[in-house]
Amino acid sequence: MDLVRSIDKLHARFLDNDSGNRALEYAHKSLDALSVFSKRTAISKIQKIEKEFTLSYQRLSRKEDTHIMPKIDPQSFDVKLFDDFGNKIQKKSLSSGERQIYAMSILDALAKTSGRKLPIIIDTPLGRLDSKHREKLISSYFPLASHQVILLSTDTEVGKEYFSSLSKHISHTITLGYDGETTSSSAAEGYFWSQEKEVTLHAS
């Protein structure tokens, strides 16, 4: 009977160890599967970002601008730019306007592939752009960038003409005024000359 009890105990211990080993094996296999899934998901998401970036850049840039296509490293997420012939483009070779359009296109691509509705805040939205680039952003980006877009602009950037073009997309405008004597800023309803609308944009 003692021998039988000892055999039973050894058998039970063997089953416990075998169960633990199998659980550990399954855990390792699960981690491997998750790692593969993560890599495939990252590559798929990167491909979507690259596609959306190309479409956005083509929509916002002028015809005479350099045509660029991004390649994002799935490990480091570094962005490299190439032209239509596969030649690498140095970012520093882009004009200031092209660099701003590049940045806007990256933001647009990230927003469209994120799967979430996120507000966008843009400071000095037209500062480094010529008139053609400005018109592209006014007509093709700001009204469609997100459900809520906040522009922090001066009256020389978004003047009366651009303000009029955006007016149907504007829900609020606020003008910030600085008082040198009190060294403080105050907010007032309206946009500079009109004092009637605010600069919080949303897509109609």
Side-chain angles (χ1 to χ4, degrees):
M1 290 300 297
D2 289 339
L3 287 172
V4 169
R5 292 190 190 98
S6 297
I7 291 172
D8 286 341
K9 288 180 181 179
L10 288 171
H11 185 251
R13 191 181 304 169
F14 171 79
L15 291 177
D16 288 342
N17 288 336
D18 184 56
S19 177
N21 289 335
R22 278 183 291 172
L24 188 61
E25 181 183 355
Y26 293 152
H28 283 304
K29 287 182 178 180
S30 298
L31 287 175
D32 291 340
L34 286 172
S35 178
V36 171
F37 176 76
S38 176
K39 290 177 181 177
R40 290 181 179 177
T41 301
I43 291 172
S44 175
K45 185 69 72 174
I46 284 172
Q47 289 174 343
K48 290 180 182 179
I49 292 174
E50 291 173 346
K51 180 181 178 181
E52 290 295 341
F53 170 88
T54 302
L55 293 174
S56 181
Y57 191 87
Q58 290 174 349
R59 188 177 75 251
L60 300 178
S61 64
R62 304 171 303 183
K63 289 184 179 179
E64 62 269 27
D65 283 343
T66 303
H67 291 177
I68 62 176
M69 293 176 289
K71 289 295 179 184
I72 303 173
D73 189 304
Q75 301 297 326
S76 64
F77 299 105
D78 288 339
V79 181
K80 295 180 180 179
L81 303 178
F82 298 86
D83 62 18
D84 293 335
F85 303 101
N87 300 314
K88 187 177 178 181
I89 300 172
Q90 298 295 333
K91 295 187 185 76
K92 62 183 180 181
S93 69
L94 300 175
S95 68
S96 58
E98 287 173 335
R99 285 197 293 270
Q100 186 159 344
I101 295 298
Y102 161 77
M104 294 283 191
S105 299
I106 284 287
L107 281 176
D108 193 38
L110 289 171
K112 288 181 177 176
T113 55
S114 69
R116 297 184 179 185
K117 286 188 174 182
L118 301 172
I120 292 179
I121 303 173
I122 305 173
D123 191 7
T124 320
L126 305 175
R128 298 183 180 89
L129 302 176
D130 58 26
S131 59
K132 289 186 178 180
H133 279 128
R134 290 185 176 200
E135 289 168 4
K136 287 276 189 177
L137 289 183
I138 292 293
S139 62
S140 303
Y141 180 66
F142 295 148
L144 306 172
S146 178
H147 70 295
Q148 184 180 44
V149 180
I150 299 175
L151 299 182
L152 305 177
S153 170
T154 66
D155 60 337
T156 57
E157 286 183 271
V158 180
K160 291 184 178 181
E161 182 180 352
Y162 292 149
F163 185 85
S164 177
S165 298
L166 289 170
S167 59
K168 64 181 179 181
H169 304 288
I170 296 174
S171 64
H172 298 83
T173 59
I174 298 173
T175 300
L176 298 178
Y178 179 74
D179 188 333
E181 293 184 3
T182 62
T183 63
S184 62
S185 297
S186 60
E189 293 282 339
Y191 185 68
F192 295 105
W193 62 87
S194 66
Q195 298 291 304
E196 294 173 355
K197 301 186 179 216
E198 291 175 333
V199 214
T200 305
L201 305 184
H202 59 82
S204 58

Short mmCIF file of all heavy atoms in Angstrom, two decimals, residues 6-52:
data_model
loop_
_atom_site.label_atom_id
_atom_site.label_comp_id
_atom_site.label_asym_id
_atom_site.label_seq_id
_atom_site.Cartn_x
_atom_site.Cartn_y
_atom_site.Cartn_z
N SER A 6 2.99 5.89 -2.96
CA SER A 6 4.15 6.60 -3.52
C SER A 6 4.03 6.74 -5.03
O SER A 6 4.31 7.79 -5.62
CB SER A 6 5.44 5.85 -3.17
OG SER A 6 5.64 5.82 -1.79
N ILE A 7 3.57 5.67 -5.69
CA ILE A 7 3.39 5.72 -7.14
C ILE A 7 2.32 6.75 -7.50
O ILE A 7 2.46 7.52 -8.46
CB ILE A 7 3.02 4.31 -7.68
CG1 ILE A 7 4.22 3.38 -7.55
CG2 ILE A 7 2.54 4.40 -9.12
CD1 ILE A 7 3.89 1.94 -7.88
N ASP A 8 1.21 6.79 -6.74
CA ASP A 8 0.14 7.77 -7.00
C ASP A 8 0.66 9.19 -6.86
O ASP A 8 0.33 10.07 -7.66
CB ASP A 8 -1.03 7.53 -6.03
CG ASP A 8 -1.85 6.30 -6.41
OD1 ASP A 8 -1.73 5.87 -7.58
OD2 ASP A 8 -2.58 5.81 -5.53
N LYS A 9 1.46 9.44 -5.82
CA LYS A 9 2.01 10.77 -5.61
C LYS A 9 2.94 11.18 -6.76
O LYS A 9 2.90 12.30 -7.26
CB LYS A 9 2.76 10.83 -4.28
CG LYS A 9 1.86 10.81 -3.06
CD LYS A 9 2.68 10.86 -1.78
CE LYS A 9 1.78 10.81 -0.54
NZ LYS A 9 2.56 10.83 0.72
N LEU A 10 3.78 10.23 -7.17
CA LEU A 10 4.70 10.50 -8.28
C LEU A 10 3.92 10.77 -9.57
O LEU A 10 4.27 11.65 -10.36
CB LEU A 10 5.65 9.31 -8.47
CG LEU A 10 6.73 9.14 -7.40
CD1 LEU A 10 7.47 7.82 -7.60
CD2 LEU A 10 7.72 10.31 -7.47
N HIS A 11 2.86 10.01 -9.77
CA HIS A 11 2.04 10.19 -10.98
C HIS A 11 1.37 11.56 -10.98
O HIS A 11 1.32 12.25 -12.00
CB HIS A 11 0.99 9.07 -11.05
CG HIS A 11 0.18 9.10 -12.30
ND1 HIS A 11 -1.15 9.46 -12.32
CD2 HIS A 11 0.51 8.83 -13.59
CE1 HIS A 11 -1.61 9.41 -13.54
NE2 HIS A 11 -0.61 9.02 -14.34
N ALA A 12 0.82 11.94 -9.80
CA ALA A 12 0.17 13.26 -9.69
C ALA A 12 1.16 14.38 -9.93
O ALA A 12 0.87 15.38 -10.60
CB ALA A 12 -0.48 13.39 -8.32
N ARG A 13 2.39 14.23 -9.38
CA ARG A 13 3.42 15.24 -9.57
C ARG A 13 3.82 15.33 -11.04
O ARG A 13 4.05 16.41 -11.58
CB ARG A 13 4.63 14.88 -8.70
CG ARG A 13 5.66 16.01 -8.60
CD ARG A 13 6.85 15.58 -7.76
NE ARG A 13 6.42 15.14 -6.43
CZ ARG A 13 7.22 14.52 -5.57
NH1 ARG A 13 8.47 14.23 -5.92
NH2 ARG A 13 6.75 14.17 -4.38
N PHE A 14 3.88 14.19 -11.70
CA PHE A 14 4.21 14.16 -13.12
C PHE A 14 3.16 14.91 -13.94
O PHE A 14 3.49 15.69 -14.84
CB PHE A 14 4.32 12.71 -13.60
CG PHE A 14 4.46 12.57 -15.09
CD1 PHE A 14 5.68 12.79 -15.72
CD2 PHE A 14 3.36 12.24 -15.87
CE1 PHE A 14 5.80 12.67 -17.09
CE2 PHE A 14 3.46 12.13 -17.23
CZ PHE A 14 4.69 12.35 -17.86
N LEU A 15 1.88 14.67 -13.63
CA LEU A 15 0.80 15.34 -14.35
C LEU A 15 0.86 16.86 -14.14
O LEU A 15 0.65 17.64 -15.06
CB LEU A 15 -0.56 14.80 -13.89
CG LEU A 15 -0.88 13.36 -14.31
CD1 LEU A 15 -2.23 12.92 -13.73
CD2 LEU A 15 -0.91 13.24 -15.84
N ASP A 16 1.14 17.26 -12.87
CA ASP A 16 1.25 18.70 -12.59
C ASP A 16 2.38 19.34 -13.39
O ASP A 16 2.23 20.42 -13.98
CB ASP A 16 1.48 18.93 -11.10
CG ASP A 16 0.24 18.66 -10.28
OD1 ASP A 16 -0.85 18.63 -10.88
OD2 ASP A 16 0.36 18.46 -9.05
N ASN A 17 3.52 18.69 -13.40
CA ASN A 17 4.67 19.21 -14.13
C ASN A 17 4.40 19.27 -15.64
O ASN A 17 4.75 20.22 -16.32
CB ASN A 17 5.92 18.36 -13.87
CG ASN A 17 6.47 18.55 -12.47
OD1 ASN A 17 6.22 19.58 -11.86
ND2 ASN A 17 7.21 17.57 -11.96
N ASP A 18 3.73 18.21 -16.15
CA ASP A 18 3.43 18.16 -17.58
C ASP A 18 2.47 19.27 -17.96
O ASP A 18 2.62 19.94 -18.98
CB ASP A 18 2.81 16.80 -17.93
CG ASP A 18 2.57 16.66 -19.42
OD1 ASP A 18 3.55 16.81 -20.19
OD2 ASP A 18 1.41 16.41 -19.82
N SER A 19 1.47 19.51 -17.07
CA SER A 19 0.50 20.59 -17.32
C SER A 19 1.20 21.95 -17.32
O SER A 19 0.93 22.81 -18.17
CB SER A 19 -0.59 20.56 -16.26
OG SER A 19 -1.49 21.63 -16.42
N GLY A 20 2.12 22.12 -16.35
CA GLY A 20 2.87 23.39 -16.28
C GLY A 20 3.73 23.60 -17.50
O GLY A 20 3.82 24.70 -18.04
N ASN A 21 4.39 22.52 -17.96
CA ASN A 21 5.24 22.62 -19.15
C ASN A 21 4.44 22.97 -20.39
O ASN A 21 4.86 23.77 -21.23
CB ASN A 21 6.00 21.30 -19.37
CG ASN A 21 7.07 21.07 -18.32
OD1 ASN A 21 7.58 22.03 -17.74
ND2 ASN A 21 7.41 19.80 -18.08
N ARG A 22 3.25 22.35 -20.50
CA ARG A 22 2.40 22.65 -21.65
C ARG A 22 1.91 24.09 -21.60
O ARG A 22 1.85 24.78 -22.62
CB ARG A 22 1.22 21.68 -21.69
CG ARG A 22 1.56 20.34 -22.32
CD ARG A 22 0.36 19.45 -22.41
NE ARG A 22 -0.08 19.01 -21.07
CZ ARG A 22 -1.19 18.34 -20.85
NH1 ARG A 22 -1.99 18.03 -21.86
NH2 ARG A 22 -1.52 17.97 -19.64
N ALA A 23 1.56 24.56 -20.41
CA ALA A 23 1.11 25.95 -20.27
C ALA A 23 2.22 26.93 -20.67
O ALA A 23 1.99 27.93 -21.35
CB ALA A 23 0.67 26.23 -18.83
N LEU A 24 3.45 26.58 -20.24
CA LEU A 24 4.59 27.43 -20.59
C LEU A 24 4.84 27.41 -22.09
O LEU A 24 5.11 28.44 -22.71
CB LEU A 24 5.84 26.93 -19.84
CG LEU A 24 7.09 27.81 -19.92
CD1 LEU A 24 6.81 29.20 -19.34
CD2 LEU A 24 8.25 27.16 -19.19
N GLU A 25 4.69 26.23 -22.69
CA GLU A 25 4.87 26.11 -24.13
C GLU A 25 3.82 26.94 -24.88
O GLU A 25 4.13 27.64 -25.83
CB GLU A 25 4.76 24.63 -24.54
CG GLU A 25 4.96 24.40 -26.03
CD GLU A 25 4.76 22.94 -26.40
OE1 GLU A 25 4.56 22.11 -25.49
OE2 GLU A 25 4.77 22.64 -27.61
N TYR A 26 2.56 26.86 -24.41
CA TYR A 26 1.48 27.64 -25.04
C TYR A 26 1.73 29.14 -24.89
O TYR A 26 1.45 29.93 -25.79
CB TYR A 26 0.13 27.27 -24.43
CG TYR A 26 -0.33 25.86 -24.73
CD1 TYR A 26 -1.17 25.18 -23.85
CD2 TYR A 26 0.09 25.20 -25.88
CE1 TYR A 26 -1.59 23.89 -24.10
CE2 TYR A 26 -0.33 23.91 -26.15
CZ TYR A 26 -1.16 23.26 -25.26
OH TYR A 26 -1.56 21.98 -25.53
N ALA A 27 2.25 29.52 -23.72
CA ALA A 27 2.54 30.95 -23.49
C ALA A 27 3.60 31.45 -24.47
O ALA A 27 3.47 32.53 -25.04
CB ALA A 27 3.00 31.17 -22.05
N HIS A 28 4.65 30.64 -24.66
CA HIS A 28 5.71 31.04 -25.61
C HIS A 28 5.15 31.13 -27.03
O HIS A 28 5.48 32.06 -27.78
CB HIS A 28 6.86 30.04 -25.56
CG HIS A 28 7.76 30.21 -24.36
ND1 HIS A 28 8.39 31.41 -24.07
CD2 HIS A 28 8.13 29.35 -23.38
CE1 HIS A 28 9.11 31.27 -22.97
NE2 HIS A 28 8.96 30.03 -22.52
N LYS A 29 4.31 30.16 -27.41
CA LYS A 29 3.72 30.18 -28.74
C LYS A 29 2.81 31.41 -28.92
O LYS A 29 2.77 32.02 -29.98
CB LYS A 29 2.92 28.91 -28.99
CG LYS A 29 3.79 27.67 -29.20
CD LYS A 29 2.94 26.44 -29.49
CE LYS A 29 3.82 25.22 -29.76
NZ LYS A 29 3.02 24.00 -30.04
N SER A 30 2.08 31.76 -27.85
CA SER A 30 1.21 32.94 -27.91
C SER A 30 2.02 34.22 -28.08
O SER A 30 1.66 35.10 -28.87
CB SER A 30 0.36 33.04 -26.63
OG SER A 30 -0.49 31.93 -26.49
N LEU A 31 3.13 34.31 -27.35
CA LEU A 31 4.00 35.49 -27.48
C LEU A 31 4.56 35.59 -28.88
O LEU A 31 4.63 36.68 -29.47
CB LEU A 31 5.13 35.43 -26.45
CG LEU A 31 4.74 35.70 -24.99
CD1 LEU A 31 5.95 35.47 -24.08
CD2 LEU A 31 4.24 37.13 -24.83
N ASP A 32 4.97 34.46 -29.44
CA ASP A 32 5.50 34.47 -30.81
C ASP A 32 4.42 34.91 -31.80
O ASP A 32 4.70 35.71 -32.72
CB ASP A 32 6.00 33.06 -31.19
CG ASP A 32 7.26 32.67 -30.42
OD1 ASP A 32 7.93 33.58 -29.90
OD2 ASP A 32 7.54 31.46 -30.31
N ALA A 33 3.20 34.40 -31.61
CA ALA A 33 2.10 34.76 -32.51
C ALA A 33 1.77 36.24 -32.40
O ALA A 33 1.53 36.92 -33.40
CB ALA A 33 0.86 33.92 -32.19
N LEU A 34 1.76 36.77 -31.16
CA LEU A 34 1.49 38.19 -30.96
C LEU A 34 2.57 39.06 -31.58
O LEU A 34 2.28 40.14 -32.13
CB LEU A 34 1.37 38.48 -29.45
CG LEU A 34 0.09 38.01 -28.77
CD1 LEU A 34 0.20 38.20 -27.26
CD2 LEU A 34 -1.12 38.78 -29.31
N SER A 35 3.81 38.61 -31.50
CA SER A 35 4.91 39.36 -32.08
C SER A 35 4.76 39.44 -33.60
O SER A 35 4.93 40.51 -34.20
CB SER A 35 6.25 38.71 -31.72
OG SER A 35 7.33 39.39 -32.33
N VAL A 36 4.43 38.32 -34.22
CA VAL A 36 4.21 38.29 -35.67
C VAL A 36 3.03 39.17 -36.05
O VAL A 36 3.09 39.94 -37.01
CB VAL A 36 3.97 36.84 -36.16
CG1 VAL A 36 3.54 36.83 -37.62
CG2 VAL A 36 5.23 36.02 -35.98
N PHE A 37 1.94 39.06 -35.27
CA PHE A 37 0.74 39.88 -35.53
C PHE A 37 1.06 41.37 -35.42
O PHE A 37 0.62 42.18 -36.24
CB PHE A 37 -0.36 39.51 -34.54
CG PHE A 37 -1.60 40.36 -34.65
CD1 PHE A 37 -2.50 40.17 -35.68
CD2 PHE A 37 -1.84 41.37 -33.73
CE1 PHE A 37 -3.64 40.96 -35.78
CE2 PHE A 37 -2.96 42.16 -33.83
CZ PHE A 37 -3.87 41.95 -34.86
N SER A 38 1.84 41.74 -34.38
CA SER A 38 2.20 43.14 -34.17
C SER A 38 3.00 43.68 -35.35
O SER A 38 2.75 44.80 -35.83
CB SER A 38 3.00 43.27 -32.88
OG SER A 38 3.44 44.60 -32.69
N LYS A 39 3.96 42.89 -35.83
CA LYS A 39 4.78 43.32 -36.96
C LYS A 39 3.94 43.48 -38.22
O LYS A 39 4.10 44.46 -38.96
CB LYS A 39 5.92 42.32 -37.19
CG LYS A 39 6.98 42.34 -36.10
CD LYS A 39 8.05 41.29 -36.34
CE LYS A 39 9.09 41.31 -35.23
NZ LYS A 39 10.11 40.23 -35.40
N ARG A 40 3.06 42.51 -38.46
CA ARG A 40 2.21 42.58 -39.66
C ARG A 40 1.25 43.77 -39.58
O ARG A 40 1.00 44.45 -40.58
CB ARG A 40 1.42 41.28 -39.82
CG ARG A 40 2.29 40.10 -40.23
CD ARG A 40 1.44 38.84 -40.40
NE ARG A 40 2.26 37.70 -40.81
CZ ARG A 40 1.79 36.47 -40.97
NH1 ARG A 40 0.51 36.21 -40.75
NH2 ARG A 40 2.61 35.49 -41.35
N THR A 41 0.72 44.03 -38.37
CA THR A 41 -0.18 45.16 -38.19
C THR A 41 0.55 46.48 -38.42
O THR A 41 0.03 47.40 -39.06
CB THR A 41 -0.79 45.15 -36.78
OG1 THR A 41 -1.49 43.92 -36.58
CG2 THR A 41 -1.77 46.30 -36.59
N ALA A 42 1.77 46.58 -37.90
CA ALA A 42 2.57 47.80 -38.08
C ALA A 42 2.85 48.04 -39.55
O ALA A 42 2.72 49.17 -40.05
CB ALA A 42 3.88 47.70 -37.30
N ILE A 43 3.23 46.98 -40.27
CA ILE A 43 3.52 47.12 -41.71
C ILE A 43 2.27 47.55 -42.46
O ILE A 43 2.30 48.43 -43.34
CB ILE A 43 4.08 45.80 -42.26
CG1 ILE A 43 5.47 45.54 -41.70
CG2 ILE A 43 4.12 45.83 -43.79
CD1 ILE A 43 6.03 44.17 -42.04
N SER A 44 1.12 46.94 -42.13
CA SER A 44 -0.13 47.29 -42.79
C SER A 44 -0.51 48.74 -42.52
O SER A 44 -0.93 49.47 -43.43
CB SER A 44 -1.25 46.36 -42.29
OG SER A 44 -2.50 46.74 -42.81
N LYS A 45 -0.35 49.18 -41.26
CA LYS A 45 -0.68 50.57 -40.90
C LYS A 45 0.26 51.54 -41.59
O LYS A 45 -0.16 52.60 -42.08
CB LYS A 45 -0.60 50.73 -39.38
CG LYS A 45 -1.03 52.10 -38.89
CD LYS A 45 -2.52 52.32 -39.05
CE LYS A 45 -3.32 51.51 -38.06
NZ LYS A 45 -4.77 51.83 -38.11
N ILE A 46 1.53 51.19 -41.66
CA ILE A 46 2.52 52.05 -42.33
C ILE A 46 2.18 52.20 -43.81
O ILE A 46 2.28 53.30 -44.37
CB ILE A 46 3.94 51.48 -42.13
CG1 ILE A 46 4.43 51.78 -40.71
CG2 ILE A 46 4.92 52.06 -43.15
CD1 ILE A 46 5.72 51.09 -40.35
N GLN A 47 1.78 51.11 -44.44
CA GLN A 47 1.41 51.18 -45.85
C GLN A 47 0.22 52.10 -46.07
O GLN A 47 0.17 52.86 -47.06
CB GLN A 47 1.10 49.77 -46.37
CG GLN A 47 2.34 48.89 -46.50
CD GLN A 47 2.01 47.46 -46.87
OE1 GLN A 47 0.85 47.01 -46.73
NE2 GLN A 47 3.00 46.71 -47.32
N LYS A 48 -0.74 52.08 -45.14
CA LYS A 48 -1.90 52.97 -45.24
C LYS A 48 -1.48 54.43 -45.06
O LYS A 48 -1.96 55.32 -45.77
CB LYS A 48 -2.94 52.59 -44.18
CG LYS A 48 -3.65 51.27 -44.44
CD LYS A 48 -4.66 50.96 -43.35
CE LYS A 48 -5.34 49.63 -43.59
NZ LYS A 48 -6.32 49.29 -42.51
N ILE A 49 -0.56 54.68 -44.10
CA ILE A 49 -0.08 56.04 -43.88
C ILE A 49 0.65 56.55 -45.12
O ILE A 49 0.45 57.69 -45.55
CB ILE A 49 0.84 56.10 -42.65
CG1 ILE A 49 0.04 55.83 -41.37
CG2 ILE A 49 1.54 57.45 -42.55
CD1 ILE A 49 0.88 55.72 -40.13
N GLU A 50 1.49 55.70 -45.72
CA GLU A 50 2.22 56.10 -46.93
C GLU A 50 1.26 56.43 -48.06
O GLU A 50 1.44 57.43 -48.78
CB GLU A 50 3.16 54.97 -47.35
CG GLU A 50 4.33 54.75 -46.40
CD GLU A 50 5.15 53.52 -46.75
OE1 GLU A 50 4.68 52.69 -47.56
OE2 GLU A 50 6.26 53.37 -46.21
N LYS A 51 0.22 55.63 -48.22
CA LYS A 51 -0.76 55.88 -49.27
C LYS A 51 -1.52 57.18 -49.03
O LYS A 51 -1.67 58.01 -49.94
CB LYS A 51 -1.75 54.70 -49.35
CG LYS A 51 -2.81 54.86 -50.42
CD LYS A 51 -3.76 53.67 -50.43
CE LYS A 51 -4.85 53.86 -51.48
NZ LYS A 51 -5.80 52.69 -51.48
N GLU A 52 -1.99 57.37 -47.78
CA GLU A 52 -2.74 58.59 -47.46
C GLU A 52 -1.85 59.83 -47.58
O GLU A 52 -2.31 60.88 -48.01
CB GLU A 52 -3.32 58.50 -46.04
CG GLU A 52 -4.45 57.49 -45.89
CD GLU A 52 -5.69 57.86 -46.68
OE1 GLU A 52 -5.84 59.04 -47.07
OE2 GLU A 52 -6.53 56.97 -46.91
#
